[in-house]
Amino acid sequence: MFVKLVIFLSLYNVIFISAKYTCKLTNSLKTEIQSYKDIVERIKNAVVEKNAPFRNFTWNELAMFVDKYGSRIAGSENLENSIDFLLDRLKNTYGIRNVHGEEAEVPHWIRGEESAYLIKPRPLKLAILGLGGSVGTDEQGITASVVVVKSFDELRNTSDKVRGKIVVFNEKYVSYGETVQYRSNGASEAGKLGAAAVLIRSIAPFSISSPHTGAQSYSGPRKIPTACISIEDAQLLQRFYDRGIPMQIQLKMGARQLPTAISRNIVSEIPGSEKPDEIVLVSGHIDSWDVGQGAMDDGGGAFISWTSLHILDQLNLQPKRTIRSVLWTAEEEGYWGARSYLKNHLNEIKNLTVVMESDEGTFTPTGLEFYGSEKAACILEEILNLFGPFNATLLQHSSYPVGSDIGLWQDKGVPGVSLGNKNGRYFWYHHSEGDMMTVENPADLDLCTAVWASTAYILADLSVTLPRNIQRFPSQ
């Protein structure tokens, strides 16, 4: 999941709106929504129940995919091979309709060999992961003394000690949305003061000596190498520093930025039976960082989005509107696939009735997160009343856009929906070697798939669409 601070404050330091509004849906609309109870039950029986024909289907497909291809960083041949595989599987194995790839220009950053060693006061190999977009060192690396700070304020207050040093940020984890600023901006802020390199405590609440990578961006002309270290190592270095014990670290990083490459978003559909030009878009991103398997971020979200279409199709549930699944490419580096798609589909914005994305985990579902108008929230609350069989009836009405890629459309007034789930451990594994298939639970994935398929179908079949926040559209 890419870091863009304004959006991520909404994702992981979320301000949810209390239900101060009064829902005044017409009795006829309430009755219509309630009429989908049998559809929800049918989807549940097909996916969740003990002998359901699609029980564990999403987990099995995801496990096969991530075991075969592993991590899938933008620009890599491995990502493109995985996209080829999935395009073929959706089209030729499962017969999903309108399957195709849509090209997008993406960045191509390579990690290369990397290492960090504490030389003084004692030898110790530090666990590191270079941050996306970082520059590398030369072959000899950087060997320098160490300054440890806990905040940007502390960095500025010790600016006279920073030049030529390796700066270690041992920031306190508050929330992802608040704390990620150190990963995003740490290298730029320390670089302005003349630091030689930056090591940043992983943006995570928990660690088993595991560094967590992610995107960072340089805001000035001076670019210095930057990597994340584990929570344990950051705390160790802090204790040495507080005791006044001089430290020296040798850092080597082979990171480099290659020319941009061409990747693809993966698109598939269930065409609408009556209003095919009106679209409910369901999505997740198919790329990942170059560690672990990308099973959680965002394999689970991507796979519930296409398996929902397959299951609805197999149940002969064709809604009035089109349900379109888009698996975004190069989300991690900054929504490259989504931005390309938006540029090429500007003429469709007026026909997008809702954008849905799962990119915050596929653990036990709780309901939906939503950004949009109060009347739209009332409609979703009524729909969620049907999800008692999934124990997923909670609507969290956010004051900021939800999801990641789909924030681009919410900024233009399109209602946005994200999967709510019990993702308290999401950042234990996020962007680390721990993002493996082991994190995913088959029963939870079944529930997430059922909630996602039910939501998409009802929104695509209702006689009304979710009212927008903004009733204007960009010129083509």
Side-chain angles (χ1 to χ4, degrees), residues 23-35:
C23 290
K24 296 181 179 179
L25 301 182
T26 64
N27 289 333
S28 61
L29 181 55
K30 288 183 179 181
T31 300
E32 181 187 358
I33 292 172
Q34 288 302 312
S35 71

Side-chain angles (χ1 to χ4, degrees), residues 209-223:
S209 196
S210 52
H212 298 235
T213 189
Q216 64 85 39
S217 58
Y218 296 110
S219 59
R222 188 163 186 268
K223 299 179 180 181

